[in-house]
Amino acid sequence: MKQQLFSTKNKQQLVTLILLIVSLVCFTASLFVYQASRPHVYEYGVYKLGTPIAANNVEITINSLRFEQGGGPYTAPKGKKYLIVDTTFTNKSNKTVALIPSTQTYIKTQDGRVYFLTPYALEQPFRAGDLKPNDTITGELSYLVPDATSYTMYIDSIWSGGVVSVRLT
């Protein structure tokens, strides 16, 4: 009887140990999957103009920046100016990606205020739409922003793998 009880106790301990090991393996795997699925945020990347910025399978290049007061119906109100960002997007993946700057890009100032794409008479406006695999598109984006501050451009979309931020000034 004692031998049988001891044997049952050992079996219970062995099963408990196996379940503990399986639980630890599952917990570790779930942490890895959770970490891999979280979007990566690249805070305040400072890039020189013309430097490609990897955003998952898309490369973004800020070619140039300029500020304008505008004219006619596009005259910036007092205390504001148009920030014109000439950008190039290159699809490095084997799938088509949808580029929609009006919802996927915005400018944030030092005080945390957010400014979205603003209509302006651009010479080469950025064309929104699908970007085929290994294709490149270049164009200008305009944002009406306040004077005398620094700006960070944010790119936030499914294809970017999370929020990518680029310090502009």
Side-chain angles (χ1 to χ4, degrees):
M1 180 75 174
K2 210 175 192 181
Q3 178 92 3
Q4 201 174 24
L5 182 62
F6 184 70
S7 173
T8 304
K9 190 175 182 181
N10 281 346
K11 287 180 186 176
Q12 288 174 343
Q13 287 176 342
L14 181 61
V15 167
T16 302
L17 182 62
I18 290 171
L19 289 175
L20 179 65
I21 291 171
V22 168
S23 297
L24 286 173
V25 167
C26 289
F27 178 73
T28 303
S30 66
L31 280 178
F32 177 76
V33 168
Y34 170 72
Q35 191 67 11
S37 68
R38 285 181 51 201
H40 301 286
V41 177
Y42 306 95
E43 289 190 31
Y44 300 115
V46 179
Y47 300 90
K48 291 182 180 181
L49 295 178
T51 303
I53 303 156
N56 214 1
N57 289 323
V58 175
E59 271 188 5
I60 301 138
T61 304
I62 309 288
N63 302 312
S64 65
L65 300 173
R66 73 179 189 276
F67 295 95
E68 295 190 10
Q69 281 305 119
Y74 300 110
T75 302
K78 186 176 181 172
K80 294 199 173 190
K81 57 190 169 189
Y82 286 98
L83 169 60
I84 312 300
V85 183
D86 185 292
T87 59
T88 298
F89 285 72
T90 302
N91 183 355
K92 298 286 190 173
S93 74
N94 58 2
K95 296 180 183 176
T96 299
V97 295
L99 298 178
I100 309 167
S102 60
T103 59
Q104 296 171 342
T105 67
Y106 57 93
I107 300 293
K108 194 184 231 185
T109 57
Q110 283 179 320
D111 62 2
R113 294 179 193 246
V114 174
Y115 299 87
F116 291 96
L117 208 59
T118 308
Y120 185 73
L122 298 169
E123 290 178 25
Q124 296 198 329
F126 189 89
R127 182 197 59 82
D130 288 342
L131 186 60
K132 303 277 186 214
N134 299 309
D135 201 5
T136 297
I137 187 167
T138 298
E140 296 172 326
L141 303 170
S142 59
Y143 304 88
L144 186 60
V145 295
D147 285 331
T149 186
S150 67
Y151 311 96
T152 302
M153 181 178 187
Y154 287 81
I155 301 156
D156 185 6
S157 68
I158 293 171
W159 52 259
S160 68
V163 180
V164 177
S165 63
V166 181
R167 176 74 50 95
L168 298 177
T169 57

